[in-house]
Amino acid sequence: MTLNPWRLRLLSQLDALGTVRAVAQAANLSASSVSQQLAVLESETRTQLLERTGRRVRLTSAGLILARRARSILDQMDAVEAELRGLADEPSGLIRLGAFQSSIHTLAVPAIARLHHPHLQVELVELEPHASMPALLAGEVDVIITTTDFVELPVPRDIDVVPLGEDPIVLLSPPGQPKNDLAACKDEPWAFDVPGSYMASLATRLCRQAGFEPRVVGRFSNYMLTLKHVEAGLAVAVLPALAVDRRFDVVTKELPVTRRITAAVRRDSRAAITVVLDALHTSVAVGREVIR
């Protein structure tokens, strides 16, 4: 029996992402191509790995075992490939770092700029918290900067979480129209993140706790657009302090809420990842005026 690493990765992604269509999008393939490759994997293993339930497929018990063992197998193969590039005591290979939008310029970019290893390459990918953990589980990234406060995404057992700090949540209001608390914004128009995102869920929860349902007049996945909307007097908003660019003329009021900023990696990750984590910790230490 010869196991094809590429097909193993597709199976692992199916376990993490849940549907063939999602795997196809992640792998930039058609759904039929993914199904064909998984069928070949079944032939190679002489084992039923998938079963159809209606219009969907799910992993059998054997499929689950292989998918979860595959993550470890693929990580070990990546480690071996990095070692074969030489320089045993020099970090090497490709590390894919996923980071949410407001942490990119404050944490990720400064961390990468501090890495001076000629055989180490870091690829930076923007991933919000609701998308970064599935990407880490599927092997699409090696390290993520995320928040464990996103309650819809419990941390899996085979993931190690490394605390980085806390980020205050702030209320934004237009210049000359300061708001001291959420209750004062009951009748104000609101700018929100896109539905299903961490910040949209948090802002909705905070408004409801303050006793009102927010009237949303704009939804933006880009925090710069949110800040511009507030600056123009068109809305109020709730954002993390990391996302507030001081070039925008907005009034900020810190709320009694913070989010925990963490890094996360798969267990048994290769040594080069430690170098990236160390650089992230240095970025946090240097930027203490923003992240606590």
Side-chain angles (χ1 to χ4, degrees), residues 12-116:
S12 177
Q13 288 178 324
L14 181 59
D15 180 33
L17 301 178
T19 66
V20 169
R21 183 179 296 276
V23 174
Q25 290 175 342
N28 197 27
L29 297 169
S30 67
S32 61
S33 294
V34 172
S35 297
Q36 290 170 5
Q37 293 303 317
L38 293 175
V40 172
L41 184 59
E42 284 188 308
S43 298
E44 290 175 340
T45 59
R46 301 184 182 90
T47 306
Q48 183 181 356
L49 303 175
L50 309 170
E51 59 185 8
R52 185 167 294 280
T53 56
R55 299 178 62 183
R56 298 168 65 102
V57 296
R58 68 182 184 90
L59 296 174
T60 62
S61 297
L64 283 170
I65 290 172
L66 181 57
R68 291 169 187 180
R69 295 283 177 85
R71 291 194 200 115
S72 177
I73 293 170
L74 293 167
D75 284 344
Q76 290 177 24
M77 291 181 67
D78 288 342
V80 170
E81 288 178 0
E83 290 175 2
L84 290 176
R85 291 188 185 103
L87 300 176
D89 57 351
E90 177 72 20
S92 61
L94 172 65
I95 301 297
R96 296 155 298 178
L97 172 60
F100 55 83
Q101 183 184 150
S102 59
S103 71
I104 288 178
H105 70 282
T106 53
L107 298 178
V109 169
I112 295 171
R114 289 187 178 91
L115 296 172
H116 301 292

Side-chain angles (χ1 to χ4, degrees), residues 214-230:
R215 178 167 60 90
V216 180
V217 298
R219 288 191 178 272
F220 310 104
S221 61
N222 187 308
Y223 291 153
M224 298 294 181
L225 297 178
T226 300
L227 288 162
K228 188 66 179 176
H229 216 59
V230 174

Side-chain angles (χ1 to χ4, degrees), residues 181-210:
D181 55 41
L182 287 171
C185 300
K186 178 180 179 180
D187 299 319
E188 298 292 330
W190 281 80
F192 265 39
D193 204 331
V194 295
S197 65
Y198 167 76
M199 280 309 303
S201 299
L202 176 60
T204 299
R205 184 164 70 249
L206 291 176
C207 290
R208 288 173 179 171
Q209 288 173 353

